[in-house]
Amino acid sequence: MKPLYQPNFNSVNHMNRKITPVKPVKAPISKARVPVLRQRRSDFFLEIDPTTAFCVKGDLFGLEPPLATPHLASTPKIEENWFIEDMASVWTSRGNEISPELISEWKLLLAAFNKSLLDNKGTVYTYNGTCGIGKSQAAQVACAELAASYYHSSFTRIKASWGAILIVERIETANEAAKEINRFYQDITGRTDLCAVAKHSQSEVSFEEIYNYPILVICHQGYSNSLHRLSDGNESTMRSLRKWRYGERRLVIVDESINPITEYQLTLDDYNRVHGYFVQNGVIRRLKQQHPQEWAVFEAIGPVLEQIQSDNKHITITTDSFNQILENAPSANLQKLYDTLLKDCAWDLITIGRESASVAREVKSKIKTCLQAIDRLVSSWSYSTKSGSFQKTNAANWLISNEAGSMVILDGTAAQDLTYRLFPNREEVTSNKALRNLENAKLHVKHTKANQGKSGFDNPTERDTRAFELYKWLKTNLDPDRKVLVVSHMNLENVLKDLAQADPYFQEFETTHWGATTGENRWSDFDTVVIASSFYRPREWAANAICSQLGLAEGLDHLSRREKTSLVEAMVNSKVAVEIIQALYRSRIRRVIDVEGRCHQADLFVLLPAGEKGNDIRRMIIDELPNVQVSDWSFSGFERSRQPKGSDLLKEASILRALEDLPVGRTPVSEFLELVGISRNAWNKTWRGRFTGRHPIAKHARRLGISLSYSGHGRSQKAFLEKALPTSES
């Protein structure tokens, strides 16, 4: 990309001052024989308004700006040659190899960025590029390029300075991304100012401060909150994110997937609890007087929920019942009701009779959630499902609308995630899956009839058995120099942690749970991943996603029971596959080691349900692991129900963890035994001896400054665990 205007420095003498020719800064040379596509920018392209621009260097500032082609002001873009060169520099500096196919993929991604920059129809561009081809780096480089072409903090522009919003999963990622964008920007321009800022719940950056930066990095939750407010008619937050001092943040990039819906649930129990708060606080008479329409809506909800509860059906379409309530009170605005309750009521006195900020927050949150759900139920579609002995009424609204603007979503699992098919205005950017070759990875799959969902690990005995059998199999079949990551539900994760602490074997052994894997890179050198459970979203989530976009009549109401079940199951299964794929790519397979897209050798162990469901999930996983070797996993531990032989090992692990939490001073052994679930007989027979000598428990206790002491004699003797104060050296 050439500057809009480039003076002839060798022949022009402005204001009796000789202008020195500009010396370009050379770009870093990549290891991958990529041709140098441009010289480094040391001149600054500055847009003053949509029709004029000039290039500034030293004494040239202040000169009359020449007329310039207006296309960049009205049609912003990131120049392809500059983008590819910077991507090549970043890519090779991190030890990666470049191929012509990879460059083509970067161009494809850049084309999506540039299309989104110009899009005024609210199109969502979904790019399903596989992990390990530089999606996150491309987003950061694109932001830096955009700022380098359209921004300099020393000058004021009108209507012509474009910026970007980068939306990432985690707070740490947001901080790092802003840091990298600023580094790229400074490297590109040679300047020292900053173009990017990160705003999140742990930053002290205000909306006034972000107004000065063209590039804003935020987290998924923050952006979802702004979408939620926008859907409720409040544009202020979205406007604060999209506008900045000298223009508009036109490019919006979402790194990884984003939740497109907000769900609402309401049970009769929820409603009665909130109604009880109103009674306790004595506000009902005032609410009736000040907000008669709103209170009429609130009171009318109760009988409908009671009827739904008494029907006790698995699925009940309740739309008509709730809509009739609003027809009787057409001007009701439940937000007014909530504002009054929030402002004037002493909710901190409700349950304990004295001031408590935490109680006030909890009560206000429950009231707000209840009123929001009622507002959605009476103004839109709804349906009820049975959850245990309760009927839960559900509704949802679609968050991503044309008013939110266009965005580019970078999600390597987009091809398998059926949620994207519900997006009303979407353009799929299909990547070249041949860029990755995972022939060095082995996928070991076990289909089991055992319950792989969260409820399958609720029973402590069964959970301990499963953990022990899994850890035993891994120790028996894998070498100790392995780096192993196990992904499961949190309660199984905790038991596995205890086992690994009590019986260390592998070079590294780490566990994590569902919801904590997306966007994490700290396991990128692990050679083994074990998927020990399946993360099933509630069926209501799938139904809400379908109905919130299509509407109840078009979404589910016209389908037969079998068709509803099939569609909802397919949505849930696709999310199971997506979570597993994301978890597998946390390991070393994400790293590209040659121009063929290969990875280092790795083993991927996956437990899947039996039957058609498991086969569907398996197919989706294999589709996202090009050329992976697939074999059966010879593991059957989860299908056993007997008490494991290693139950003492699990008890030992819980003892070690309890010792770490022991307070300074004397703790009666009787209290400690109750805490860890050991009988007095078992203590005398087995465990007391392990607190002395060379046993691992005794060694761990000594390291923590804990000793076993006694007082008294005979039957009156009492035993204590005594923890000394830590010394200054420790």
Side-chain angles (χ1 to χ4, degrees):
M1 175 179 176
K2 295 181 179 179
L4 223 60
Y5 170 75
Q6 178 65 62
N8 186 338
F9 291 103
N10 293 319
S11 59
V12 179
N13 201 334
H14 291 286
M15 301 174 63
N16 298 320
R17 284 179 288 186
K18 187 175 180 180
I19 307 303
T20 306
V22 177
K23 295 181 180 180
V25 180
K26 294 183 179 180
I29 299 175
S30 70
K31 292 187 271 186
R33 295 200 302 274
V34 175
V36 177
L37 302 173
R38 67 171 169 87
Q39 292 178 325
R40 231 28 176 178
R41 279 165 285 178
S42 56
D43 287 335
F44 307 144
F45 167 71
L46 300 175
E47 289 210 4
I48 303 303
D49 60 41
T51 59
T52 60
F54 66 100
C55 195
V56 174
K57 178 66 178 179
D59 291 335
L60 283 182
F61 179 66
L63 300 180
E64 183 70 20
L67 291 176
T69 308
H71 76 280
L72 277 179
S74 57
T75 57
K77 66 176 293 188
I78 301 166
E79 177 58 41
E80 182 180 280
N81 284 354
W82 289 359
F83 176 79
I84 296 301
E85 181 186 336
D86 288 332
M87 277 298 295
S89 177
V90 172
W91 196 247
T92 54
S93 70
R94 297 177 179 180
N96 300 314
E97 300 288 341
I98 298 178
S99 66
E101 292 78 14
L102 184 57
I103 292 178
S104 298
E105 195 71 8
W106 291 341
K107 290 180 180 179
L108 180 70
L109 182 52
L110 177 63
F113 292 156
N114 281 332
K115 288 177 71 174
S116 185
L117 265 170
L118 299 174
D119 194 299
N120 59 4
K121 300 177 182 178
T123 308
V124 175
Y125 299 86
T126 57
Y127 174 72
N128 67 338
T130 186
C131 191
I133 62 173
K135 296 191 298 295
S136 298
Q137 290 85 355
Q140 295 166 11
V141 169
C143 290
E145 288 280 359
L146 195 64
S149 293
Y150 293 96
Y151 167 68
H152 186 275
S153 61
S154 302
F155 307 98
T156 302
R157 280 156 308 281
I158 315 167
K159 302 178 183 176
S161 292
W162 310 107
I165 305 174
L166 177 58
I167 304 162
V168 298
E169 184 77 21
R170 304 174 185 281
I171 288 175
E172 318 86 73
T173 310
N175 293 334
E176 184 62 27
K179 180 179 177 182
E180 286 293 285
I181 292 169
N182 284 321
R183 186 174 67 83
F184 295 152
Y185 169 76
Q186 292 172 347
D187 181 51
I188 290 169
T189 63
R191 297 195 286 263
T192 58
D193 55 306
L194 305 178
C195 71
V197 63
K199 179 171 176 56
H200 46 72
S201 60
Q202 295 182 14
S203 69
E204 298 179 355
V205 180
S206 66
F207 277 104
E208 290 76 15
E209 290 174 291
I210 69 172
Y211 190 56
N212 296 312
Y213 295 85
I215 310 299
L216 174 64
V217 186
I218 59 176
C219 295
H220 282 202
Q221 188 59 55
Y223 195 68
S224 293
N225 291 343
S226 70
L227 290 173
H228 189 186
R229 295 186 187 101
L230 183 63
S231 71
D232 288 340
N234 183 352
E235 301 179 2
S236 58
T237 305
M238 182 61 69
R239 196 181 306 118
S240 298
L241 299 181
R242 295 299 292 262
K243 297 291 184 181
W244 74 289
R245 184 177 298 279
Y246 302 128
E248 181 182 356
R249 298 186 182 102
R250 179 78 68 87
L251 179 61
V252 179
I253 303 174
V254 182
D255 199 357
E256 304 295 351
S257 62
I258 190 169
N259 182 17
I261 65 171
T262 296
E263 300 179 83
Y264 304 89
Q265 288 87 31
L266 186 63
T267 66
L268 179 60
D269 188 56
D270 297 330
Y271 175 84
N272 287 337
R273 182 182 295 110
V274 170
H275 193 280
Y277 292 154
F278 298 160
V279 173
Q280 287 176 274
N281 201 268
V283 297
I284 293 180
R285 176 178 294 181
R286 182 155 57 91
L287 292 176
K288 285 181 178 180
Q289 293 173 347
Q290 296 180 2
H291 306 285
Q293 295 274 31
E294 286 73 24
W295 183 253
V297 170
F298 181 83
E299 279 198 315
I301 288 291
V304 178
L305 293 174
E306 289 176 356
Q307 182 62 46
I308 293 170
Q309 182 67 34
S310 64
D311 288 344
N312 199 28
K313 295 180 180 178
H314 286 281
I315 295 181
T316 307
I317 304 302
T318 59
T319 306
D320 294 340
S321 301
F322 285 115
N323 288 163
Q324 289 171 7
I325 294 173
L326 193 60
E327 288 175 5
N328 296 329
S331 61
N333 182 347
L334 292 181
Q335 183 62 45
K336 292 181 181 178
L337 194 65
Y338 177 69
D339 289 343
T340 297
L341 295 168
L342 180 68
K343 184 167 49 179
D344 299 335
C345 297
W347 299 116
D348 53 339
L349 304 176
I350 281 249
T351 57
I352 56 178
R354 58 186 175 83
E355 185 176 349
S356 170
S358 61
V359 169
R361 284 194 300 270
E362 181 182 356
V363 171
K364 288 176 182 178
S365 176
K366 289 179 178 178
I367 292 173
K368 183 176 182 179
T369 301
C370 177
L371 293 180
Q372 284 179 333
I374 292 174
D375 184 62
R376 182 57 50 181
L377 296 178
V378 299
S379 62
S380 184
W381 52 270
S382 61
Y383 67 97
S384 293
T385 55
K386 188 175 180 181
S387 178
S389 60
F390 295 97
Q391 292 287 142
K392 180 168 60 177
T393 304
N394 305 269
N397 67 305
W398 192 263
L399 292 178
I400 302 176
S401 62
N402 291 347
E403 289 76 18
S406 176
M407 67 177 67
V408 182
I409 300 180
L410 311 179
D411 184 357
T413 60
Q416 309 303 332
D417 192 341
L418 297 183
T419 310
Y420 287 114
R421 301 187 186 182
L422 300 175
F423 280 62
N425 191 15
R426 180 177 75 103
E427 183 173 319
E428 185 175 356
V429 183
T430 305
S431 69
N432 178 12
K433 294 296 183 183
L435 284 170
R436 293 303 313 273
N437 182 355
L438 303 186
E439 62 182 23
N440 290 337
K442 295 181 180 179
L443 178 66
H444 311 267
V445 182
K446 168 67 179 179
H447 291 275
T448 177
K449 294 181 180 179
N451 185 353
Q452 286 293 97
K454 184 178 180 180
S455 61
F457 304 94
D458 287 343
N459 182 281
T461 301
E462 186 174 356
R463 181 172 63 238
D464 291 352
T465 302
R466 289 185 172 193
F468 178 77
E469 295 288 358
L470 178 61
Y471 194 67
K472 178 183 177 183
W473 189 95
L474 294 173
K475 281 183 57 181
T476 304
N477 293 275
L478 299 179
D479 295 330
D481 61 352
R482 291 293 190 103
K483 295 183 178 181
V484 180
L485 171 67
V486 180
V487 185
S488 66
H489 285 85
M490 190 179 293
N491 46 11
L492 179 64
E493 174 195 6
N494 293 333
V495 182
L496 287 167
K497 280 182 180 178
D498 290 344
L499 279 172
Q501 181 181 4
D503 184 21
Y505 177 78
F506 295 104
Q507 180 181 345
E508 289 189 55
F509 184 88
E510 291 199 20
T511 60
T512 188
H513 54 271
W514 300 114
T517 59
T518 307
E520 275 286 3
N521 294 323
R522 56 195 173 102
W523 304 295
S524 59
D525 62 339
F526 277 52
D527 53 58
T528 306
V529 181
V530 182
I531 306 298
S533 70
S534 297
F535 179 35
Y536 293 104
R537 281 174 169 77
R539 293 185 177 184
E540 291 89 345
W541 165 83
N544 287 340
I546 296 166
C547 294
S548 63
Q549 178 52 44
L550 302 178
L552 186 64
E554 295 80 10
L556 288 179
D557 200 17
H558 73 291
L559 299 178
S560 68
R561 184 181 183 88
R562 177 173 294 183
E563 288 172 328
K564 290 177 185 177
T565 302
S566 177
L567 181 57
V568 168
E569 285 285 346
M571 290 280 292
V572 172
N573 292 344
S574 77
K575 279 296 187 181
V576 172
V578 163
E579 295 289 346
I580 292 175
I581 294 164
Q582 288 280 1
L584 294 176
Y585 270 112
R586 298 308 100 199
S587 68
R588 68 195 303 183
I589 67 171
R590 67 185 291 106
R591 290 187 174 182
V592 179
I593 63 172
D594 58 28
V595 293
E596 300 299 326
R598 295 186 182 91
C599 63
H600 289 291
Q601 290 187 348
D603 284 292
L604 315 172
F605 298 92
V606 179
L607 275 172
L608 293 176
E612 185 177 348
K613 177 191 293 187
N615 291 333
D616 287 344
I617 297 172
R618 175 182 178 137
R619 175 188 52 76
M620 287 185 274
I621 294 172
I622 293 174
D623 283 349
E624 297 302 321
L625 302 174
N627 297 332
V628 69
Q629 302 179 52
V630 184
S631 63
D632 292 334
W633 180 14
S634 58
F635 174 68
S636 59
F638 281 21
E639 296 177 356
R640 302 175 184 177
S641 58
R642 67 176 187 275
Q643 181 76 6
K645 294 180 180 178
S647 56
D648 274 5
L649 185 62
L650 293 172
K651 188 64 67 179
E652 182 178 313
S654 66
I655 290 173
L656 294 176
R657 187 173 66 248
L659 287 174
E660 292 179 352
D661 298 333
L662 203 68
V664 173
R666 273 187 164 190
T667 299
V669 166
S670 57
E671 291 183 11
F672 185 80
L673 296 182
E674 185 177 355
L675 176 67
V676 296
I678 295 176
S679 67
R680 173 66 68 173
N681 184 52
W683 165 257
N684 292 328
K685 185 177 179 180
T686 304
W687 296 102
R688 180 168 57 183
R690 298 182 182 182
F691 275 75
T692 59
R694 303 178 61 183
H695 193 274
I697 290 179
K699 292 180 180 179
H700 190 65
R702 284 195 292 268
R703 281 196 299 270
L704 295 172
I706 299 172
S707 59
L708 187 60
S709 62
Y710 299 90
S711 66
H713 301 280
R715 291 185 176 182
S716 62
Q717 187 183 64
K718 293 184 178 180
F720 298 90
L721 289 174
E722 195 162 350
K723 186 174 183 178
L725 282 168
T727 63
S728 58
E729 294 181 357
S730 60

